[in-house]
Amino acid sequence: MIAAWRSLRREARLTEFRLFLAALCFIAVALSAVSLFGSRVERAMQAQTGALLGADGLLASSRPIDDEFARLAESLGLRTARTVDFLSMAVGPEDSRLARVRAVSGAYPLRGEVLTRDPGASDEGVGGEAIAAGTAWVAPSLAREQSLSAGATLSLGRKSFEVTREISLEPEGGVGSFSIAPRVMIPLADVDATGLLTPASRARFRLLVAGEADAVSAFGDAVEERLSPHEQWHVADLERDEVRATVGRVVSYLNLAVMLSVLLAVVAMAVAAQGLWRRQAHAGALMRCLGARHGAMVRRQTMVYLLAAVPVAASGSVLGGVFQHVASIGVARAAGIELPPPSLGPALTTTAISVLVTLAVMVPFLFAQRFVPVMTLLRAELRDRVHAGAIGVAVVAFLVAGFAVLLAGDLVLALSVLAGLAAAGVVFWFLIRALLAVLATTARAPSASWHIALRNLASNARRSAWLASAFGAAVFALVLLGAVRGDLFAAWNQSIPENAPNIFLVNIQGEEVDAMRGLLEQRHVPSERFYPIYRGRLVSIDGEAVAEADFESESARHRVNHEFNLTEDGVLPDGNEIVAGRWFDAGERGFSVERETADSLGLAIGSRIAFDVAGTRVEAPVTSIRTVRWDSMKPNFFVLGSPGLFGEAPRQFITAAFAGEDAGDLSRAVNRQFPSVTLIDLGSILDRLRNLVEQASAAVSVVFAFTLAAALLVLVAMLQGQREARRREIALLKTLGASRAQIRAAIVAEFGLLGAVAGAVGGALALASGWLLAWQVFEFDYLPAWHWIAISLAGGALLVGAGGYLSIRSLVKVQPVRLLAG
Amino acid sequence: MLKSVFASPTDDASHSSRLLMNSDDFHGNQPVVRTDRLGKRVSVGSGAIQILEDIDLTVQDNTAVSISGRSGSGKTTLLGLLAGLDTPTEGAVALFGRSLVNLDEDARAALRRGRVGFVFQSFHLLPNLTALENVALALEVGQPGEDIDARAAEALQRVGLAPRMHHLPSQLSGGEQQRVALARAIVVRPTVLFADEPTGNLDHATREEVASLLFELRAEHGCTLVLVTHDLDLAGRCDRHYHLEAGRLVS
Ligand SMILES: Nc1ncnc2c1ncn2[C@@H]1O[C@H](COP(=O)(O)OP(=O)(O)O)[C@@H](O)[C@H]1O
Ligand SMILES: [Mg+2]
């Protein structure tokens, strides 16, 4: 141990070792910045979807929920809140009305917020208020219908409440709730005083929890074990249809960013490691000459790298944490969204990964040293036969593959990138070598400098190809991320055209449809079709009754457990695409099922499914399976019936409309004319989400640029590592009579050429990889941005040319004799 | 064709008894190095070249032996074989009475440990180690113990570099670097010192200085010296001479 410390101190004097550690530090910084930030954005997204549920998870029951569950949740560090929902007559000054009463504890909601305003006002409302004892908040429709103003009295059972606010937005106000009765919210503590809750009354008791994702799922697991038949456990996952498409893409994009950063950093590190390998090979040969045993040396050196890597990786991770914290402050401010605090987990993982990368880069080499003959000490030319580069390529390939798959989690994403990478590796190596050979033999050099540059490229084919590949990898990663990002947002913007619907109108009664249509037309508000909605519970598949217990997946259980919103339609809605079977023929009876629903319930074309719609059994075969564009913001349905399928079953109508900025106005008009119609404003939710996505992605690009800077730094380090060889070449050129200007021009030409080739090939491969990703992962139409190739070609030529020149500039001034002396 | 007498210890009893013994039993009146029809052949491309052929030589303890010859005659190759840095393709070689033929690299290294010193044409000091640390390295590997730094400092003092003890090789001249290398070679009090063109990279004045120092140190420690050089002047100071011509010894 002491010996290892001493070795470490000595090793630290090597420029190569310091560069290697700098690369390691960059890996840790980049990894931790991107992954911490990514996980925080992902959690923020999760919280956003949680906002739609009011919690990260909730336990619902038809009976009061045992305190034991709340204690369990709290012991896991989760915050909790309780609600009780029941229907009751609300007696106002004018009339009485059936209301959906929700009694809430002080902490409700745990995610998202209840926005309230003065009764009758039309502003967005403010959040964060707790409901005071003896007061009630009411839905706008109720306030209007009953002319409730602030201070009015509303009675529920035996207790009177003072109406203080009107609810403009509440969690779970999404598209899914097609409710009949208006909402009244009261404090949980006042429920008993109403006398409305008796053991016989129908109510829904809920325990909401929120906190660390791990704790939530631990709680969920514990709860599910002792769930009684009357209890259900729900989680807010990224399964919400309206947001899933968006969030899924962002998460994939973040994964991609993390993966490419790791890729780049590992390549950078391997580059930095090369110089170290050379030193190590020399020191190893000398030690063995002095009588050291190979195994002992491997152990000693491994120890040295561990001792160095652990603190460097740890501090790099912390630095990355600081970096992403600064970035996240910007995001929080710009998007108006609070990111959850960073967690220690990713920092530890990052440290561990960085240390592993170090060991993976160095330890195989230490073992490979056995093959470095001690005779290299006596015979210098043997040194050139130590193909550290070949080991390097193998190590890098292995590492990249391993980590990519590990980190991406998303196999398709990982494989797409890896395919691009493998192609890049092969193409780089062979294309560049071939290209250089062709250049050297056929190109007519316009000047002596060009001639020297071309010859140098050709005669050092291996070195040139290695340099070009390292730089090409950087170009590949950057262009891929840049291009995909651009296309991601282009696709997102396309999928939500400027006049995409931003409000939903639900609970429209059949006789109100014409009047509603008239109102919208009169106000020039474009709307979708009016879809009839039937509420139905899935009762049998192929003649067998279904029960929740028959299904494994959470989503299938959920579907079986809840009523479907069913509609019937003779025309395939926009954004829907038939993937199996065919659309209804005239007069045919059947169901068209959304693909994932069909998958989770095990439905295929021809499966007979039956729904219980208000007491009537409606049974028909599945005649088609559809995909649905959830982010189209239009009414979408899991299950569609053929026209007339539901007969005379009770129904309501739903439509979506684009009200632009006038949503508030429209809301008032609708409230006045159609008190029972609920207007859901999706715009605000989606705006916030969209904002978050854009900011997150911008910040990730910043983080990625940081990684690129690391790669560039190591590129310079690599050029630095060539100084010895270059020194000899320049001396030779000088003795042959080349002028300084000629040599300088030759260097710039050589590196510029190398950079141009690397940039062009890297850019082209990135576009190919991007196409694969767009097609397989992000599912949008990809427009290859050819200009990227030109940009990366020019950028490569400039950067590598300038870098090469800067790193070798000082050698040009030296006298040839001095050069030879060293 | 040629069958190695060392291929198996039981093959040839007469040779074995004479040449093979436990290296720990090695003492002064045995040859330090001995070869038997030693040869080295390497394949180059599709063909092969015979670099060394039929080398028979014996280096007695406490003698200075020179191996000279023109550039490319195989001197360095021979030195590598004698010191166990390389393996022969034909014949046999024994160091300290121990055959090197069937030993793996670790075993050959163990045989050298603490008993062999090296001086190279291009010094081979580790660039990140100070003069003192470079010298101490030989002790750390060969004779670990308490007083490593003191012994290393003493060796440096002996070669006249005490004031430069804490300098890195890049801060020393060629001659000074080679003197550090000499200190590293003798600090373990080796039984045998192998030197390959120790003055080859030095200018005329320093060459003489380093050469004198080499022979002084050898005399002081009473160690065997195997010196490869094409410099006949230097070779002349040795007790015994071998001359290589195109891979064969001519006496
Ligand atoms: N591993 C090898 N592969 C090919 N040729 C070699 C190898 N080792 C030595 N040689 C050749 O063998 C000859 C003798 O080399 P060397 O022992 O270095 O001679 P010296 O030290 O006398 O100059 C040279 O022609 C050299 O090129
Ligand atoms: Mg030689």
Side-chain angles (χ1 to χ4, degrees):
Chain A
M1 188 75 179
I2 292 166
W5 266 119
R6 196 175 45 219
S7 303
L8 174 59
R9 241 191 21 245
R10 294 173 178 179
E11 205 95 335
R13 296 191 197 124
L14 283 174
T15 315
E16 287 87 348
F17 189 67
R18 292 202 294 259
L19 280 172
F20 181 78
L21 290 186
L24 170 64
C25 190
F26 268 111
I27 288 190
V29 169
L31 254 184
S32 97
V34 179
S35 66
L36 272 175
F37 189 71
S39 80
R40 289 179 71 187
V41 168
E42 198 172 333
R43 275 185 294 155
M45 297 273 179
Q46 196 91 39
Q48 279 284 309
T49 54
L52 297 173
L53 191 68
D56 291 337
L58 65 82
L59 179 64
S61 173
S62 53
R63 305 190 194 147
I65 292 171
D66 202 332
D67 276 342
E68 185 198 338
F69 285 113
R71 279 196 297 272
L72 173 65
E74 275 149 23
S75 74
L76 286 165
L78 295 170
R79 293 183 296 127
T80 61
R82 284 171 181 274
T83 66
V84 185
D85 290 356
F86 54 94
L87 289 173
S88 166
M89 293 308 285
V91 185
E94 294 183 358
D95 204 353
S96 60
R97 174 87 158 87
L98 188 69
R100 291 182 304 136
V101 180
R102 170 163 293 173
V104 302
S105 68
Y108 177 86
L110 299 174
R111 296 289 186 209
E113 48 193 2
V114 180
L115 297 183
T116 63
R117 59 194 176 206
D118 285 332
S122 61
D123 54 297
E124 272 194 8
V126 295
E129 267 177 87
I131 188 163
T135 65
W137 295 347
V138 298
S141 57
L142 186 68
R144 285 187 186 53
E145 199 181 285
Q146 305 270 318
S147 312
L148 297 174
S149 52
T153 305
L154 192 72
S155 299
L156 297 170
R158 292 200 299 264
K159 178 155 175 71
S160 298
F161 291 87
E162 180 193 347
V163 174
T164 52
R165 309 285 286 172
E166 164 183 307
I167 301 166
S168 59
L169 179 76
E170 66 171 315
E172 302 162 81
V175 189
S177 55
F178 303 95
S179 46
I180 317 129
R183 166 75 76 218
V184 172
M185 203 174 278
I186 59 168
L188 189 63
D190 291 340
V191 170
D192 284 346
T194 65
L196 291 171
L197 277 195
T198 63
S201 51
R202 283 175 56 91
R204 194 124 190 99
F205 296 85
R206 308 190 313 164
L207 173 69
L208 288 72
V209 300
E212 291 287 332
D214 288 348
V216 173
S217 56
F219 180 68
D221 291 345
V223 164
E224 283 191 333
E225 269 177 23
R226 20 184 153 150
L227 228 45
S228 7
H230 51 85
E231 290 166 338
Q232 294 96 37
W233 166 247
H234 303 284
V235 280
D237 48 24
L238 298 179
E239 294 289 315
R240 273 304 282 229
D241 309 316
E242 308 92 75
V243 292
R244 182 179 49 180
T246 313
V247 170
R249 283 178 183 170
V250 171
V251 170
S252 287
Y253 183 78
L254 288 171
N255 277 339
L256 181 69
V258 172
M259 215 166 76
L260 289 176
S261 303
V262 174
L263 161 84
L264 212 55
V266 170
V267 169
M269 189 166 210
V271 168
Q274 276 226 311
L276 197 54
W277 287 350
R278 234 171 280 134
R279 295 288 186 202
Q280 190 67 62
H282 179 233
L286 183 71
M287 303 267 283
R288 280 180 292 153
C289 181
L290 295 174
R293 280 212 332 278
H294 183 253
M297 271 166 42
V298 171
R299 278 194 297 278
R300 155 90 70 99
Q301 279 307 111
T302 304
M303 194 68 178
V304 168
Y305 290 122
L306 261 181
L307 280 179
V310 171
V312 169
S315 38
S317 298
V318 171
L319 213 69
V322 171
F323 185 79
Q324 65 81 34
H325 183 68
V326 173
S328 68
I329 291 172
V331 170
R333 193 165 294 158
I337 283 169
E338 212 55 53
L339 288 174
S343 54
L344 194 61
L348 289 179
T349 315
T350 308
T351 306
I353 289 180
S354 310
V355 171
L356 271 176
V357 171
T358 308
L359 295 184
V361 169
M362 291 314 297
V363 173
F365 175 74
L366 291 177
F367 281 103
Q369 254 183 23
R370 192 182 277 284
F371 305 108
V372 178
V374 184
M375 277 302 280
T376 53
L377 293 173
L378 294 175
R379 200 179 295 289
E381 66 273 15
L382 280 183
R383 244 164 280 162
D384 298 335
R385 298 209 202 151
V386 182
H387 298 319
I391 305 172
V393 170
V395 168
V396 168
F398 163 77
L399 275 177
V400 165
F403 283 114
V405 172
L406 202 80
L407 279 170
D410 185 338
L411 202 66
V412 178
L413 179 68
L415 291 181
S416 311
V417 173
L418 280 180
L421 215 67
V426 172
V427 171
F428 264 112
W429 198 251
F430 291 103
L431 192 80
I432 286 174
R433 289 192 73 162
L435 213 65
L436 296 175
V438 169
L439 269 178
T441 50
T442 62
R444 206 170 294 250
S447 71
S449 302
W450 277 99
H451 180 76
I452 295 169
L454 288 171
R455 219 212 35 226
N456 244 354
L457 280 177
S459 56
N460 296 297
R462 188 181 291 274
R463 181 179 74 185
S464 307
W466 173 240
L467 193 75
S469 300
F471 187 71
V475 172
F476 172 85
L478 192 72
V479 170
L480 182 55
L481 216 48
V484 166
R485 178 172 179 270
D487 285 326
L488 190 63
F489 287 105
W492 169 251
N493 285 329
Q494 270 167 18
S495 71
I496 309 176
E498 276 305 293
N499 55 356
N502 65 345
I503 58 167
F504 270 71
L505 293 161
V506 301
N507 298 338
I508 306 168
Q509 304 305 314
E511 62 275 14
E512 292 175 327
V513 168
D514 288 335
M516 179 66 84
R517 201 174 269 141
L519 174 73
L520 294 176
E521 268 166 24
Q522 178 201 333
R523 299 183 138 260
H524 306 292
V525 172
S527 70
E528 289 293 311
R529 267 183 277 169
F530 283 67
Y531 291 91
I533 298 284
Y534 304 87
R535 304 274 290 165
R537 190 176 284 274
L538 181 65
V539 288
S540 86
I541 298 176
D542 287 328
E544 283 185 39
V546 295
E548 186 190 346
D550 298 341
F551 296 94
E552 287 281 305
S553 78
E554 183 78 23
S555 62
R557 284 161 173 260
H558 183 86
R559 278 165 187 154
V560 170
N561 240 325
H562 288 71
E563 290 194 320
F564 278 80
N565 289 309
L566 304 163
T567 192
E568 52 186 30
D569 203 338
V571 190
L572 184 67
D574 284 351
N576 285 227
E577 215 176 297
I578 305 271
V579 291
R582 54 196 167 70
W583 190 242
F584 310 120
D585 288 331
E588 185 185 21
R589 279 171 57 84
F591 285 111
S592 175
V593 184
E594 186 265 340
R595 180 169 61 187
E596 285 178 31
T597 308
D599 286 348
S600 71
L601 294 173
L603 301 177
I605 299 296
S607 304
R608 290 191 67 80
I609 54 176
F611 287 93
D612 175 358
V613 180
T616 314
R617 186 181 168 97
V618 178
E619 183 160 19
V622 174
T623 57
S624 65
I625 291 176
R626 291 167 293 131
T627 56
V628 174
R629 291 246 334 242
W630 294 109
D631 56 5
S632 68
M633 301 302 138
K634 295 176 178 173
N636 282 310
F637 298 91
F638 290 118
V639 180
L640 268 161
S642 54
L645 186 65
F646 300 103
E648 297 301 307
R651 62 184 186 176
Q652 296 175 329
F653 285 83
I654 175 178
T655 192
F658 174 71
E661 301 293 305
D662 303 329
D665 254 13
L666 184 68
S667 162
R668 266 187 303 278
V670 167
N671 270 323
R672 220 175 303 119
Q673 202 176 334
F674 308 97
S676 67
V677 169
T678 306
L679 184 146
I680 298 164
D681 187 353
L682 279 180
S684 59
I685 297 173
L686 286 170
D687 277 352
R688 291 170 72 179
L689 204 60
R690 195 187 320 207
N691 213 340
L692 177 74
V693 169
E694 277 177 23
Q695 296 300 325
S697 164
V700 167
S701 296
V702 170
V703 171
F704 181 74
F706 179 76
T707 309
L708 181 82
L712 283 180
L713 180 103
V714 180
L715 182 81
V716 172
M718 177 159 160
L719 296 171
Q720 207 72 17
Q722 295 197 345
R723 276 172 64 101
E724 279 315 304
R726 293 284 174 185
R727 189 197 260 279
R728 267 177 265 134
E729 282 167 25
I730 292 172
L732 192 68
L733 287 173
K734 282 202 165 182
T735 48
L736 292 177
S739 73
R740 279 186 199 181
Q742 270 176 332
I743 293 175
R744 247 181 244 129
I747 290 171
V748 173
E750 181 184 341
F751 282 108
L753 218 57
L754 209 62
V757 172
V761 178
L765 286 171
L767 288 189
S769 212
W771 169 78
L772 206 64
L773 282 178
W775 174 43
Q776 282 296 324
V777 179
F778 295 108
E779 294 174 1
F780 54 70
D781 297 331
Y782 182 65
L783 311 162
W786 299 112
H787 62 271
W788 276 106
I789 297 184
I791 292 174
S792 54
L793 186 148
L798 270 173
L799 268 174
V800 180
Y805 170 69
L806 287 176
S807 77
I808 299 192
R809 186 183 44 172
S810 64
L811 293 181
V812 179
K813 296 188 188 125
V814 181
Q815 295 301 316
V817 182
R818 280 281 302 150
L819 289 171
L820 286 174
Chain B
M1 42 169 275
L2 242 171
K3 192 168 141 232
S4 162
V5 292
F6 303 111
S8 153
T10 53
D11 262 4
D12 186 321
S14 62
H15 271 86
S16 301
S17 57
R18 190 157 50 86
L19 285 172
L20 288 180
M21 63 176 101
N22 189 330
S23 64
D24 295 336
D25 298 339
F26 177 77
H27 52 87
N29 39 27
Q30 296 295 327
V32 175
V33 185
R34 190 186 162 104
T35 70
D36 186 70
R37 306 174 98 183
L38 188 68
K40 177 83 179 176
R41 175 183 184 83
V42 295
S43 46
V44 179
S46 52
I49 48 171
Q50 189 78 33
I51 303 175
L52 291 173
E53 203 170 354
D54 273 345
I55 307 287
D56 283 303
L57 61 74
T58 307
V59 179
Q60 293 297 344
D61 192 31
N62 203 5
T63 56
V65 172
S66 74
I67 300 171
S68 56
R70 295 159 52 150
S71 180
S73 56
K75 304 183 296 292
T76 298
T77 309
L78 180 57
L79 188 79
L81 290 174
L82 299 183
L85 303 184
D86 203 357
T87 46
T89 47
E90 294 115 35
V93 53
L95 179 63
F96 305 131
R98 182 86 184 267
S99 168
L100 297 176
V101 177
N102 289 321
L103 295 183
D104 68 7
E105 207 193 304
D106 276 350
R108 280 185 274 132
L111 198 57
R112 283 195 297 273
R113 194 177 306 145
R115 295 207 283 182
V116 176
F118 282 94
V119 186
F120 307 98
Q121 180 172 3
S122 45
F123 325 140
H124 287 311
L125 300 179
L126 296 185
N128 55 316
L129 267 52
T130 62
L132 184 73
E133 288 165 344
N134 262 296
V135 176
L137 189 68
L139 288 169
E140 284 163 19
V141 172
Q143 296 168 358
E146 291 295 307
D147 50 351
I148 283 180
D149 281 0
R151 285 176 65 188
E154 193 187 318
L156 276 174
Q157 168 108 45
R158 174 61 194 85
V159 299
L161 282 177
R164 314 297 299 273
M165 211 147 68
H166 298 299
H167 289 202
L168 292 172
S170 57
Q171 297 163 316
L172 301 174
S173 73
E176 286 163 341
Q177 288 188 48
Q178 193 63 309
R179 272 149 68 195
V180 175
L182 273 173
R184 177 179 66 192
I186 53 114
V187 73
V188 293
R189 303 181 184 285
T191 312
V192 56
L193 201 59
F194 291 102
D196 185 19
E197 312 272 15
T199 58
N201 267 8
L202 303 174
D203 61 47
H204 198 77
T206 3
R207 195 175 292 174
E208 179 46 37
E209 201 180 300
V210 168
S212 312
L213 191 57
L214 173 67
F215 281 97
E216 278 169 32
L217 289 171
R218 176 194 107 66
E220 278 167 28
H221 288 85
C223 68
T224 310
L225 172 68
V226 180
L227 172 66
V228 158
T229 182
H230 64 267
D231 181 344
L232 293 178
D233 227 27
L234 209 56
R237 302 196 202 182
C238 293
D239 311 325
R240 212 164 156 203
H241 314 284
Y242 288 100
H243 192 75
L244 269 177
E245 252 180 53
R248 286 173 172 275
L249 280 184
V250 290
S251 294

